[in-house]
């Protein structure tokens, strides 16, 4: 009898456990310093394009790289991942080098036919290489990502990596002895491509730096100004609805009932807290889908080609006269999460984010920890609401000040990374590379889309004929780098042709 009773109790307990609702998965989908998941140089899954790739000529390998190019007494090395493909190479042809940026590399940029770089390779008979940036992807120069090891992570070290790689490949492949090397890149690595040409003109003959933010800036208030302007040029009525939404969020935050409505609308895992850091982290969650959609709107890179565009993912909902303002914002949020396959609730716990970023292993936080380090020690790029125009449009100038991001530098990496040090680092970066106005080395192409928020830190004009900015009307981040699409505007088609013609003229001069 006692055994039967025990079994009945156990069965009841098991039933309660099985019937209890499972905790919803917490997702952290916010862009981090303008960087979405996977990096700023968007690529589709390799599985979706591999049937178009000639795998017989694509090689994945590693290269023994110097750990510290600026300390000759340090003899340590590491293995740097790279890819190359010689299927288009013709004797006497150039070598094209795609520089990795703030994310893992794959064979995509050296193998997928129809991309800007592979189209140009086919036209010029080029051998195509791609090196992964130190501390991203499988390129792990040190045992972990502790602060003492992160001192080896910088754009200057990455540029010397590229220089060392070019010299080594020229020795490894005798047919490249007299080849003209052209560096390519997009976003951060677009700036790297230009800077590598500037720092090593003896090795790099020309550069194509797409959407490269060559001007470092602590308070990058222009970013949200461009987001506002890009939505407005799509539809003034849509823009009016979007700013009404952000200002409604600011209003609802003032009451307990309002915060409950916001928790439901934005499907947050936690109740919204009013302490400074948690509140600002919530604002990041509110802004992030709008920022990412604008940044990549129309790019021929997966969902951004037709789904996650300003028209389809923002204005379609904000121009719906049948829904109220908060519902419109909820629908943008839900649609973005659905398309990006973010299934779960939005985690708005600030301290949980700091703890995540404090992980010094090469784990899930790897690329985020590396990129934020570079913003704290080199670039800033802090997308703030401090603009006199964009701040009120986004619901308030104080919602996301640059200091909030600097405080994260301190919280993640230690007290040495404070306002003064960040400003000093940014000033040094602009001095070291010359900034926007001091980039004067010849044979550099600089494509930028004018709805891309990052174009505000690009070089958009030039007084010399052999530094060629290509400002592309109505296009977004790195748009020129992708393959031609039926959705391309005439402006994008013409820009790709101009890039091809200018590079052809340089290579055959």
């Amino acid at each position: 009898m006692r055994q039967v009773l025990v079994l009945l109790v156990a069965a009841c307990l098991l039933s309660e456990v099985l019937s209890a609702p499972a905790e919803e998965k917490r997702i952290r989908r916010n862009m981090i310093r303008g960087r979405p998941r996977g990096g700023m140089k968007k690529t589709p899954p390799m599985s979706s394009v591999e049937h178009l790739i000639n795998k017989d000529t694509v090689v994945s390998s590693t290269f023994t790289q110097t750990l510290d190019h600026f300390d000759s007494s340090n003899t340590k090395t590491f293995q740097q991942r790279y890819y190359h493909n010689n299927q288009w190479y013709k004797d006497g042809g150039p070598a094209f080098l795609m520089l990795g940026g703030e994310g893992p590399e794959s064979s995509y940029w050296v193998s997928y036919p129809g991309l800007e770089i592979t189209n140009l390779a086919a036209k010029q008979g080029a051998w195509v290489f791609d090196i992964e940036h130190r501390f991203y992807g499988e390129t792990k120069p040190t045992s972990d990502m502790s602060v003492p090891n992160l001192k080896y992570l910088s754009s200057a070290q990455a540029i010397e990596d590229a220089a060392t790689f070019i010299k080594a490949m020229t020795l490894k492949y005798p047919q490249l002895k007299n080849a003209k090397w052209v560096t390519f890149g997009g976003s951060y690595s677009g700036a790297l491509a230009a800077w590598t040409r500037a720092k090593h003109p003896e090795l790099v003959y020309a550069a194509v730096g797409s959407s490269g933010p060559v001007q470092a800036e602590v308070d990058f208030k222009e970013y949200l100004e461009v987001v506002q302007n890009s939505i407005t040029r799509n539809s003034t009525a849509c823009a009016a609805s979007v700013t009404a939404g952000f200002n409604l969020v600011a209003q609802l935050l003032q009451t307990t009932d309002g915060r409950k409505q916001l928790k439901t609308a934005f499907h947050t895992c936690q109740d919204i807290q009013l302490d400074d850091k948690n509140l600002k982290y919530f604002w990041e969650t509110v802004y992030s889908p709008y920022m990412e959609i604008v940044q990549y709107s129309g790019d021929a890179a997966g969902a951004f080609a037709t789904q996650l565009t300003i028209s389809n993912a923002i204005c379609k909902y904000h121009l719906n006269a049948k829904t109220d303002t908060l519902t419109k914002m909820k629908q943008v949020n839900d649609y973005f999460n659905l398309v990006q396959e973010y299934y779960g609730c939005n985690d708005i716990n600030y301290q949980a984010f700091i703890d995540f970023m404090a992980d010094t292993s090469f784990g899930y936080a790897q690329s985020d920890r590396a990129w934020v380090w570079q913003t704290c020690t080199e670039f800033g790029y802090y997308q703030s609401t401090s603009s006199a125009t964009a701040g009120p449009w986004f619901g308030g100038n104080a919602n996301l000040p640059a200091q909030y991001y600097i405080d994260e530098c301190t919280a993640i990496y230690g007290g040495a990374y404070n306002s003064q040090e960040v400003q000093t680092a940014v000033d040094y970066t602009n001095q070291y590379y010359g900034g926007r106005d001091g980039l004067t080395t010849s044979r550099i192409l600089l494509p930028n889309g004018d709805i891309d928020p990052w174009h505000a830190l690009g070089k958009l004009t030039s007084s010399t004929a052999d530094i060629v900015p290509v400002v592309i009307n109505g296009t977004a981040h790195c748009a020129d780098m992708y393959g031609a699409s039926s959705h391309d505007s005439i402006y994008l088609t013409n820009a790709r042709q101009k890039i091809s013609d200018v590079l052809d003229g340089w290579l055959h001069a």
Side-chain angles (χ1 to χ4, degrees):
M1 182 66 183
R2 181 178 296 176
Q3 287 181 323
V4 172
L5 183 61
V6 169
L7 288 172
L8 286 172
V9 171
C12 290
L13 290 173
L14 180 60
S15 176
E16 287 184 19
V17 170
L18 292 176
S19 62
E23 183 178 356
E24 195 169 12
K25 181 181 178 182
R26 298 182 179 188
I27 58 173
R28 191 178 289 112
R29 59 98 198 269
N30 294 359
M31 296 180 80
I32 297 178
R33 313 305 176 268
R35 178 191 181 277
R37 296 292 173 218
M40 287 193 274
K41 201 170 61 181
K42 289 282 188 181
T43 58
M46 286 299 295
S47 59
S48 68
V49 299
E50 61 184 358
H51 63 288
L52 299 171
I53 292 172
N54 179 2
K55 296 181 182 179
D56 294 336
T57 58
V58 179
V59 178
S60 171
S61 189
T62 57
F63 167 72
T64 301
Q65 184 62 266
T66 301
L67 178 63
D68 190 346
H69 296 282
F70 303 100
D71 180 2
S72 58
S73 68
N74 188 336
T75 59
K76 292 180 180 179
T77 60
F78 65 94
Q79 295 302 300
Q80 184 168 30
R81 183 165 65 166
Y82 74 97
Y83 301 88
H84 67 99
N85 182 5
N86 65 1
Q87 78 176 90
W88 301 287
Y89 179 73
K90 296 177 183 176
D91 289 343
F96 290 172
L97 175 59
M98 176 67 74
L99 298 179
E102 70 310 316
E105 292 299 293
S106 70
S107 62
Y108 176 75
W109 296 104
V110 305
S111 62
Y112 183 47
L115 297 174
E116 180 172 62
I117 188 172
T118 52
N119 279 339
L120 292 171
K123 179 178 179 179
Q124 301 295 340
W127 197 319
V128 189
F129 294 82
D130 182 343
I131 57 171
E132 190 168 68
H133 197 294
R134 54 172 60 203
F135 285 91
Y136 294 95
E138 295 303 315
T139 300
K140 304 168 184 177
T142 54
S143 59
D144 63 23
M145 300 181 72
S146 60
V147 169
N149 284 334
L150 286 175
K151 70 179 182 179
Y152 299 112
L153 170 57
S154 70
S155 58
Q157 294 280 9
I159 286 169
E160 298 310 311
D161 286 347
T164 303
F165 179 82
I166 288 171
K167 288 184 279 190
M169 293 301 107
T170 301
L171 289 174
K172 183 173 182 177
Y173 300 104
Q175 57 269 55
L176 296 179
K177 181 180 180 181
N178 297 312
K180 294 176 178 176
W181 283 80
V182 181
T183 49
F184 288 77
S187 195
Y188 161 53
S189 76
L192 275 183
W195 292 335
T196 304
R197 161 68 182 146
K199 289 295 182 181
H200 286 285
E202 81 285 4
L203 295 174
V204 178
Y205 182 78
V208 183
S210 300
S211 299
V214 295
Q215 180 75 22
E217 186 173 84
V218 175
D219 190 351
F220 185 14
K221 61 186 179 183
E222 298 90 345
Y223 185 100
L224 289 180
E225 290 177 348
V226 180
V227 174
Q228 173 189 351
N229 293 339
S230 296
I231 294 173
T232 302
R233 70 185 278 181
N234 183 281
S235 165
T236 55
C238 174
S241 174
V242 173
T243 186
F246 291 135
N247 281 279
L248 175 62
V249 171
Q251 178 184 334
L252 291 173
L253 283 169
Q254 304 307 310
T255 66
T256 301
D257 182 64
R259 292 191 291 276
K260 289 180 180 178
Q261 292 181 57
L262 292 173
K263 179 182 181 181
T264 300
F266 293 100
H267 195 44
T268 64
C269 307
Q270 301 89 3
D271 293 338
I272 299 168
Q273 304 299 317
L274 294 182
D275 62 282
D276 183 66
K277 293 297 190 283
N278 277 301
L279 184 57
K280 287 177 169 56
Y281 193 62
F282 169 72
W283 274 114
E284 280 196 84
T285 303
V286 173
Y287 295 149
S288 193
Y290 292 85
M291 293 166 63
E292 189 167 344
I293 291 165
V294 170
Q295 184 165 307
Y296 294 100
S297 181
D299 278 6
F304 291 95
T306 57
Q307 293 174 282
L308 294 178
T309 64
I310 296 173
S311 294
N312 190 65
I314 296 176
C315 292
K316 180 176 72 175
Y317 299 108
H318 277 279
L319 292 175
N320 183 354
K322 297 180 180 179
T323 57
D324 61 46
T325 300
L326 190 58
T327 299
K328 298 177 198 299
M329 300 199 79
K330 171 178 168 52
Q331 289 174 337
V332 171
N333 188 78
D334 290 348
Y335 182 69
F336 179 82
N337 282 0
L338 176 66
V339 174
Q340 294 287 69
E341 298 183 350
Y342 291 132
Y343 300 124
C345 57
N346 290 314
D347 190 341
I348 57 169
N349 185 316
Y350 173 81
Q351 189 57 49
F353 171 70
I354 296 300
D355 294 342
F356 165 77
M357 292 293 292
D359 179 7
T360 61
S361 71
F362 284 98
Y364 186 63
Q366 175 189 354
S367 292
D368 294 329
R369 182 171 170 83
W371 177 238
V372 172
W373 168 266
Q374 290 195 261
T375 69
C376 295
T377 58
E378 296 190 80
F379 306 126
Y381 296 156
Y382 300 137
Q383 296 96 18
S384 80
T385 52
S386 67
S387 163
T389 54
W393 197 88
F394 277 90
N397 289 97
N399 291 351
L400 280 179
Q403 188 62 47
Y404 164 74
Y405 300 106
I406 296 170
D407 289 346
E408 287 189 357
C409 295
T410 306
I412 296 166
Y413 307 109
Y417 303 93
N418 53 39
S419 298
Q420 181 178 344
E421 289 304 312
V422 170
Q423 186 63 62
T424 299
V426 167
D427 291 343
Y428 178 78
T429 296
N430 286 328
Q431 179 271 324
Y432 188 72
Y433 297 120
R436 182 167 36 215
D437 297 333
L439 184 61
T440 57
T441 308
S442 63
R443 294 194 295 271
I444 297 177
L445 275 153
L446 296 164
N448 275 282
D450 70 357
I451 70 167
D452 171 23
W454 287 99
H455 90 276
L457 296 182
K459 187 175 180 68
L460 308 180
T461 60
S462 173
S463 58
T464 60
D466 51 7
I467 297 179
V468 184
V470 183
V471 181
I472 313 170
N473 182 43
T475 61
H477 202 56
C478 302
D480 64 289
M481 298 177 69
Y482 301 104
S485 159
S486 60
H487 303 288
D488 290 347
S489 69
I490 188 64
Y491 304 107
L492 179 55
T493 301
N494 290 345
R496 289 197 184 106
Q497 188 60 54
K498 180 176 182 178
I499 293 164
S500 177
D501 291 345
V502 170
L503 186 61
D504 183 73
W506 288 342
L507 289 172
H508 293 95

